[in-house]
Amino acid sequence: MAEIIQKDGTWAFDGAALRLTPGRDKNVGVLRRALGELVVPLGALAGISFEQGRRQGRLRLRLRDGADPLLHATGGRLAEPHDPYRLTVEPDRYGVAEYFTDEVRDALLLEQVPGTPVREYLLPGPPLPLSVSAGDGTASFDGERVRLEWNWKTEDVKAAAGPRTLALADILGVEWQPSAGLENGHLRFRVTGAPARERAKYDPNAVELWGFRRDPLMALVAAAVQARLPHPSAAVVPEASGEPGAPGASEADHDALLRRLRELGELHREGVLTDEEFTLAKQAVLKRL
């Protein structure tokens, strides 16, 4: 088992999954603290990288598209203190971080985990029930419905209609957007039959966020709802099955292997795979071709 313990958190890898536990350092964001320990199956990973710096380094995990409802709902907009897939590494642990990276990479290669998108979530959403207060309201979710309640800071035009209850069956999508500069953020629900509104401060299906400390916690609500909505791949036409004797199976296999070669090239260029790892993986794919 490989393990690296830092003030920022502890990452452990047993060959089948990674356990990511946030640390107690003051720089650990409220979202990571609220998420607690995450268990990431090896099959959900697309890669791992380690970047050295003068004062500190970074371990980073890259998940396969569609594996995590939190990443899908937040659209890659989580700042570093709140991103559970980054770990700050002190210089005296660079050797341990490199060993940890090699162990995970070797496992990905041995198990031939593809970097392609997945068709179902491989990580669960946050536990329920869930309620978060931030910005101009409170968002609660019990697994079947979302309830939005407003506070004294809510615009009158939005608060006038009172609290909102949205059935999960009526929710088409969810989005969490952090505030940036002078632009406020939001937690927004796209609802059947409701017109989209440009500004969250006037949208009765959105909570406006102003960049305060608790704003990232709204991403928990977004992830919990996203985990219970149809997976994004549901709208994608399935590829050929690739089963022996199935129509178009050989063409599908060939295309899949070509995609894998392209993915390996991208991982190599990004530094996720070393020259040796890239060569070995490429040779394995070419043999199958």
Side-chain angles (χ1 to χ4, degrees):
M1 181 163 120
E3 184 178 59
I4 180 167
I5 303 173
Q6 294 288 271
K7 292 186 297 182
D8 193 36
T10 298
W11 285 11
F13 177 56
D14 62 6
L18 290 96
R19 291 186 176 272
L20 315 179
T21 307
R24 298 183 178 180
D25 188 69
K26 63 180 181 181
N27 293 321
V28 176
V30 292
L31 178 58
R32 282 180 62 197
R33 293 179 187 273
L35 283 170
E37 182 179 85
L38 290 181
V39 178
V40 183
L42 183 66
L45 287 184
I48 182 173
S49 63
F50 173 57
E51 304 161 7
Q52 294 189 17
R54 284 187 177 182
R55 296 185 178 180
Q56 57 189 17
R58 295 285 187 280
L59 269 172
R60 302 176 189 265
L61 294 181
R62 188 163 61 87
L63 271 62
R64 297 169 65 186
D65 289 344
D68 183 12
L70 173 66
L71 292 184
H72 185 80
T74 57
R77 293 182 288 265
L78 287 176
E80 185 160 348
H82 308 292
D83 188 341
Y85 303 116
R86 303 184 195 181
L87 183 71
T88 301
V89 180
E90 301 300 324
D92 63 348
R93 289 295 181 269
Y94 281 2
V96 178
E98 290 173 345
Y99 170 75
F100 189 93
T101 301
D102 289 342
E103 287 291 296
V104 176
R105 284 178 175 172
D106 289 347
L108 288 170
L109 286 173
L110 287 173
E111 296 297 326
Q112 295 186 348
V113 177
T116 52
V118 297
R119 296 187 180 276
E120 62 180 354
Y121 291 121
L122 301 181
L123 282 87
L128 300 176
L130 185 62
S131 182
V132 176
S133 296
D136 69 352
T138 297
S140 306
F141 182 52
D142 62 5
E144 295 182 358
R145 58 188 60 81
V146 171
R147 184 170 175 81
L148 302 177
E149 300 177 83
W150 314 117
N151 56 38
W152 63 274
K153 295 170 284 188
T154 308
E155 287 288 327
D156 291 343
V157 68
K158 186 162 77 171
R164 297 275 291 169
T165 299
L166 310 175
L168 182 64
D170 294 331
I171 297 176
L172 302 174
V174 59
E175 178 189 66
W176 173 84
Q177 172 75 51
S179 59
L182 299 177
E183 294 293 326
N184 292 335
H186 61 259
L187 170 67
R188 188 191 304 275
F189 298 95
R190 290 189 294 107
V191 180
T192 303
R197 305 199 181 187
E198 294 184 2
R199 303 184 66 183
K201 67 187 299 182
Y202 303 122
D203 188 345
N205 297 318
V207 176
E208 186 181 32
L209 304 174
W210 300 311
F212 296 152
R213 182 175 179 272
R214 291 181 59 82
D215 283 8
L217 293 178
M218 280 293 182
L220 294 174
V221 180
V225 174
Q226 185 65 57
R228 289 157 180 84
L229 293 177
H231 192 271
S233 67
V236 179
V237 178
E239 297 179 0
S241 66
E243 296 176 357
S250 60
E251 291 86 350
D253 289 343
H254 188 268
D255 291 344
L257 291 172
L258 289 177
R259 286 198 301 271
R260 182 58 177 157
L261 281 175
R262 289 194 292 269
E263 292 161 4
L264 289 171
E266 292 174 2
L267 293 173
H268 183 233
R269 287 192 294 274
E270 293 172 2
V272 176
L273 294 179
T274 64
D275 292 342
E276 182 179 0
E277 291 168 341
F278 172 65
T279 300
L280 290 174
K282 183 175 70 172
Q283 288 175 347
V285 175
L286 290 175
K287 284 182 181 178
R288 295 175 63 186
L289 277 172

